């Protein structure tokens, strides 16, 4: 057995190159401090389901209505996943087949609107996602997206501005949801605005669905016609997507997932999603979710105490976005991200609101606490991590200081390994 919990007994002889590279990435995962906000560490139980014989089965269709024979067991597995998802999120209907968050969004758009329709979503450069209308993504090519942003003063979503844009553009769909925003969304107000302009309302909860499962953030299912999500971010499951919706949209969501957006479901991933939902239904997962937020606040406070500027005034979820210009004017997100990774802290550069630099360079670094919280870190460690990051960035031309900091980062990472 490899330390991953997955047997490499066969792989290590059948394909030495890949086997060794998997071990090398396991080593990377175990020796760095991981702050990429969209990543987490799945349990060994989830990975065993994901690596199972279920990868062998075709099962186009939905439980009880398949285009292939031999789906009796798959039906039970997918139904369990669906029932657990509905139970976890108090949803009327769930589709657990989307291969990813992007596939889930594609199926949802196909089900809710027509090509060419206007959609109001969060601007990419202010925290939205590629699938919210980027010109390089299908969403931007097929639909007419218009974007709301943040208030330049508060760096918060201004619902008055969302309302004005909705009145002006008369969208057929309003999308709430983000990839980098650290403050609450007012689902109730979004829904009122959508109702007033005759738009449907979708929440892309890909980033924060884990915190909804853990009951520390409001549940968008109550307000939205359709909620899309991923299962591999804060929810800590296998890589994959998920759609939750009102009964009214159930048929269309199923139809536009398959055959609309995808072919055969990934049954190994669906089984792993079922395991993840079971884990998320526990009291322990609720404590975990609360700790994710407590840890993000501790990290954010640590930056503020050291004079760094945290975007949107701090955090109320798992995300902390720091303006690298508050270290010094020359420091870019790109330089900060590369340097920190070389010292053992993995995170990503990210545009900040009204960023004067290009999306490839940026003036921000984005961090998230789901991964380090899975590894057992608490507020005390996150304050330490905030201290290390600030010291590394402030002393980036002092080789000796960086060497000492690297040693300290290594010691901390070693005590909090995901698969130690
Ligand atoms: C991560 C994310 C997605 C896409 O998920 P993938 O599984 O990478 O396709 C969609 N929307 C939002 C808001 C996200 O954060």
């Amino acid at each position: 057995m490899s330390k991953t919990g997955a047997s490499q007994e066969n792989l290590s002889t059948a394909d030495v190159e890949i086997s060794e590279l998997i071990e090398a990435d396991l080593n990377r995962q175990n020796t760095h401090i991981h702050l990429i906000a969209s990543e987490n560490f799945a349990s060994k139980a989830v990975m065993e389901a994901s690596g199972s014989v279920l990868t062998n089965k075709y099962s186009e269709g939905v439980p009880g209505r398949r285009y292939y024979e031999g789906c009796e067991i798959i039906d039970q597995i997918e139904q369990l996943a669906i029932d657990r998802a509905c139970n976890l999120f108090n949803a009327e209907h769930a589709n657990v087949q989307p291969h990813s968050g992007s596939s889930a969004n594609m199926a949802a758009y196909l089900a809710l609107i027509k090509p060419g329709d206007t959609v109001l979503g969060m601007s990419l450069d202010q925290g939205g996602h590629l699938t919210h209308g980027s010109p390089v993504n299908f969403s931007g090519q097929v639909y007419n997206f218009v974007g709301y942003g943040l208030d330049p003063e508060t760096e918060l979503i201004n619902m008055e501005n969302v309302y004005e844009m909705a009145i002006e553009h008369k969208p057929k769909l309003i999308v709430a949801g983000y990839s980098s925003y650290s403050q609450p969304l007012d689902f109730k107000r979004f829904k009122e605005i959508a109702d007033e302009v005759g738009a449907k309302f979708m929440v892309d909860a890909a980033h924060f669905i884990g915190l909804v499962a853990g009951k520390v953030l409001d549940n968008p299912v109550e307000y939205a016609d359709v909620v899309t999500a991923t299962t591999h971010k804060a929810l800590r499951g296998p890589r994959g997507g998920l759609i939750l919706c009102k009964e009214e949209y159930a048929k269309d969501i199923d139809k536009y997932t398959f055959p609309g957006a995808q072919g055969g479901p990934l049954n190994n991933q669906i089984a792993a999603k079922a395991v993840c939902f079971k884990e998320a239904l526990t009291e322990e997962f609720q404590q975990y979710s609360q700790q994710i937020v407590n840890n993000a606040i501790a990290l954010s406070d640590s930056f503020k105490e050291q004079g760094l500027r945290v975007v949107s005034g701090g955090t109320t979820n798992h995300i902390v976005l720091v303006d690298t210009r508050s270290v010094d004017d020359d420091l870019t997100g790109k330089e900060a991200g590369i340097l920190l990774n070389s010292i053992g802290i993995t995170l990503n550069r990210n545009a900040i609101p009204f960023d004067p630099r290009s999306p490839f360079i940026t003036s921000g670094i984005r961090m998230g606490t789901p991964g380090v919280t899975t590894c057992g870190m608490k507020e005390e460690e996150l304050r330490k991590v905030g201290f290390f990051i600030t010291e590394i960035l402030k002393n980036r031309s002092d080789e000796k200081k960086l060497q000492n900091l690297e040693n300290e980062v290594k010691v901390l990472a070693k005590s909090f390994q995901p698969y130690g």
Side-chain angles (χ1 to χ4, degrees):
M1 283 296 253
S2 142
K3 280 178 286 180
T4 60
S7 170
Q8 293 232 6
E9 206 180 328
N10 301 292
L11 186 60
S12 59
T13 47
D15 192 333
V16 179
E17 287 160 287
I18 288 295
S19 174
E20 287 182 357
L21 288 169
I22 292 175
E23 287 298 318
D25 203 63
L26 169 63
N27 183 57
R28 181 191 66 83
Q29 295 188 28
N30 272 336
T31 53
H32 284 63
I33 293 171
H34 300 277
L35 293 171
I36 292 186
S38 50
E39 291 183 5
N40 208 333
F41 301 102
S43 69
K44 290 179 182 176
V46 163
M47 289 193 286
E48 282 172 15
S50 172
S52 71
V53 293
L54 299 175
T55 194
N56 297 328
K57 189 76 197 95
Y58 246 110
S59 59
E60 287 173 352
V62 291
R65 207 157 41 81
R66 303 285 191 183
Y67 293 82
Y68 285 79
E69 301 311 322
C71 294
E72 304 79 14
I73 313 287
I74 296 297
D75 277 359
Q76 294 177 54
I77 290 169
E78 186 169 339
Q79 195 58 53
L80 258 180
I82 291 168
D83 293 345
R84 287 176 184 171
C86 286
N87 186 2
L88 181 60
F89 298 107
N90 204 14
E92 292 176 14
H93 181 75
N95 188 305
V96 295
Q97 293 187 5
H99 302 333
S100 67
S102 297
S103 295
N105 283 350
M106 180 185 272
Y109 295 152
L110 288 168
L112 293 171
I113 48 176
K114 294 198 179 57
D117 278 353
T118 296
V119 185
L120 179 62
M122 191 173 194
S123 295
L124 261 51
D125 58 359
Q126 311 234 330
H129 185 260
L130 274 175
T131 53
H132 302 176
S134 163
V136 296
N137 183 261
F138 80 92
S139 57
Q141 294 170 15
V142 177
Y143 306 103
N144 172 38
F145 269 81
V146 286
Y148 56 85
L150 303 181
D151 182 285
E153 286 298 313
T154 60
E155 294 177 323
L156 302 176
I157 294 173
N158 178 342
M159 294 310 293
E160 208 34 55
N161 173 244
V162 174
Y163 177 70
E164 283 160 15
M165 290 191 75
I167 295 288
E168 182 188 344
H169 296 283
K170 305 213 172 355
K172 290 281 193 295
L173 176 68
I174 296 180
V175 180
Y178 52 77
S179 291
S180 72
Y181 183 61
S182 55
Q183 300 298 330
L185 297 177
D186 189 347
F187 300 129
K188 186 162 175 277
R189 183 69 188 130
F190 270 109
K191 171 68 175 153
E192 283 168 8
I193 294 171
D195 283 346
E196 185 169 336
V197 301
K200 287 168 184 154
F201 177 40
M202 167 180 148
V203 174
D204 179 351
H207 237 277
F208 58 85
I209 193 77
L211 299 180
V212 174
K215 302 197 180 346
V216 296
L217 288 188
D218 289 347
N219 187 353
V221 166
E222 230 183 283
Y223 304 97
D225 296 307
V226 172
V227 174
T228 57
T230 59
T231 49
H232 52 272
K233 297 183 182 174
L235 193 50
R236 205 165 65 183
R239 303 202 76 76
L242 167 71
I243 305 177
L244 306 162
C245 68
K246 305 261 185 249
E247 195 54 50
E248 169 184 6
Y249 296 101
K251 270 215 170 76
D252 278 349
I253 285 295
D254 287 350
K255 185 170 94 185
Y256 285 104
T257 300
F258 168 83
Q262 297 185 167
L266 311 177
N267 291 306
N268 52 320
Q269 293 305 82
I270 288 175
K273 287 173 192 175
V275 176
C276 145
F277 299 148
K278 182 169 180 177
E279 290 176 356
L281 277 159
T282 59
E283 179 75 27
E284 197 189 338
F285 192 85
Q286 294 181 23
Q287 288 159 9
Y288 164 66
S289 301
Q290 186 59 56
Q291 191 64 51
I292 289 177
V293 177
N294 295 350
N295 283 352
I297 293 170
L299 182 64
S300 166
D301 286 348
S302 152
F303 288 131
K304 288 191 207 166
E305 282 158 23
Q306 297 175 91
L308 269 57
R309 194 178 83 79
V310 179
V311 172
S312 303
T315 186
T316 55
N317 59 21
H318 59 300
I319 295 173
V320 178
L321 188 59
V322 163
D323 183 342
T324 51
R325 296 169 308 180
S326 60
V327 178
D328 71 63
D329 276 344
D330 293 340
L331 183 63
T332 66
K334 181 181 175 197
E335 189 190 346
I338 292 171
L339 174 65
L340 286 162
N341 189 51
S342 76
I343 307 262
I345 299 179
T346 308
L347 45 70
N348 61 286
R349 74 188 78 159
N350 209 101
I352 58 170
F354 312 100
D355 201 322
R357 296 188 173 118
S358 81
F360 190 70
I361 306 292
T362 80
S363 306
I365 47 175
R366 184 188 68 160
M367 288 149 278
T369 49
V372 289
T373 306
T374 297
C375 295
M377 287 195 193
K378 297 248 165 40
E379 290 90 332
E380 186 190 336
E381 285 80 27
L382 270 296
R383 277 192 289 271
K384 239 189 218 172
V385 170
F387 173 75
F388 289 151
I389 291 173
T390 312
E391 282 294 297
I392 291 165
L393 296 179
K394 283 186 175 164
N395 295 287
R396 61 191 194 283
S397 37
D398 186 335
E399 281 304 324
K400 187 145 179 288
K401 270 202 177 148
L402 288 182
Q403 187 56 59
N404 291 338
L405 284 159
E406 183 170 354
N407 295 339
E408 289 193 68
V409 166
K410 274 204 182 113
V411 171
L412 183 62
K414 196 158 185 211
S415 318
F416 294 92
Q417 296 182 324
Y419 303 110

